[in-house]
Amino acid sequence: LFAIAGSIRKKHPNFRIVYIKSEDFMNELVDALQTGFSEFRAKYRQADLLLMDDVQFLSGKVQLQEEFFHTFEALFQANRQIVLTSDRPPKEIATLSDRLQTRFESGLLADIQSPDLETRMAMVKAKANNLGIDMPQKVVDYIAENITNNVRELEGAVKKIAAINGLMGSPIDLPMAQ
């Protein structure tokens, strides 16, 4: 979502981009129940791009789904962009209202899996290059083969190796990486 926001921001610097986790959307909705809806609705319904993370947390929350439905509809009718993420497809989100499910399914669905070995290796090399360290191929291979599910962990491993190398002067080799 941050990459999407960054790309859109470069092309359209004046766009109103709103990024929110569904849990934070819920918390803001609860606040709006007490303080009034005008500010809340303006923030979301006037966005040029709405990015919402973890929409699976809308599940089972009727009033939250109702408000999000109207927000979604307002943006859709205004030809605005909406990007949602979830850890499962809309059909598998339990107790998601039918009308939200069908709207979510009307867009482009992309199932993004963990990167394959070659991609992880390229990511490790790129991160090492960005940090200005020369990482031997055996170390790149080791990290990419052992950290398979989380890109942030890959980046963290490279940063840790760079820090150990920089602070302690330890050579970057397989034993150090292990």
Side-chain angles (χ1 to χ4, degrees):
L1 291 179
F2 290 115
I4 292 169
S7 178
I8 296 297
R9 177 82 54 218
K10 285 180 187 174
K11 294 176 186 172
H12 305 282
N14 296 324
F15 264 31
R16 291 168 298 201
I17 299 173
V18 176
Y19 165 83
I20 190 83
K21 294 179 183 176
S22 63
E23 185 177 359
D24 294 336
F25 184 83
M26 179 181 67
N27 292 335
E28 288 185 27
L29 176 61
V30 169
D31 290 343
L33 288 168
Q34 298 168 359
T35 61
F37 283 98
S38 61
E39 208 173 296
F40 174 84
R41 288 182 175 151
K43 175 182 177 180
Y44 294 104
R45 296 182 187 184
Q46 293 176 11
D48 295 300
L49 171 63
L50 174 63
L51 305 164
M52 182 179 279
D53 210 355
D54 297 325
V55 295
Q56 72 272 10
F57 292 117
L58 297 175
S59 176
K61 298 168 180 79
V62 176
Q63 189 168 3
L64 181 62
Q65 287 185 40
E66 183 71 19
E67 184 60 35
F68 186 71
F69 170 79
H70 292 294
T71 298
F72 187 100
E73 281 297 296
L75 293 170
F76 182 79
Q77 294 301 320
N79 290 319
R80 304 291 169 75
Q81 295 295 305
I82 307 163
V83 181
L84 309 171
T85 69
S86 176
D87 63 1
R88 63 190 76 106
K91 285 183 180 180
E92 294 179 16
I93 300 175
T95 64
L96 182 66
S97 72
D98 288 341
R99 62 187 186 171
L100 277 179
Q101 180 182 331
T102 58
R103 276 154 183 84
F104 292 174
E105 290 174 342
S106 71
L108 172 66
L109 298 179
D111 184 11
I112 301 173
Q113 298 296 318
S114 298
D116 63 13
L117 178 62
E118 285 182 14
T119 303
R120 291 192 309 272
M121 289 168 60
M123 294 167 82
V124 170
K125 286 179 185 178
K127 189 64 179 176
N129 286 338
N130 288 343
L131 294 173
I133 60 171
D134 184 29
M135 187 171 287
Q137 188 60 45
K138 286 184 178 184
V139 175
V140 170
D141 294 346
Y142 176 80
I143 294 170
E145 288 169 0
N146 288 284
I147 300 176
T148 59
N149 292 323
N150 190 319
V151 172
R152 290 185 185 110
E153 284 182 46
L154 275 177
E155 292 179 350
V158 175
K159 287 179 183 177
K160 186 174 182 179
I161 288 171
I164 292 169
N165 173 255
L167 295 171
M168 302 178 139
S170 301
I172 299 176
D173 57 16
L174 191 55
M176 187 251 248
Q178 291 170 330

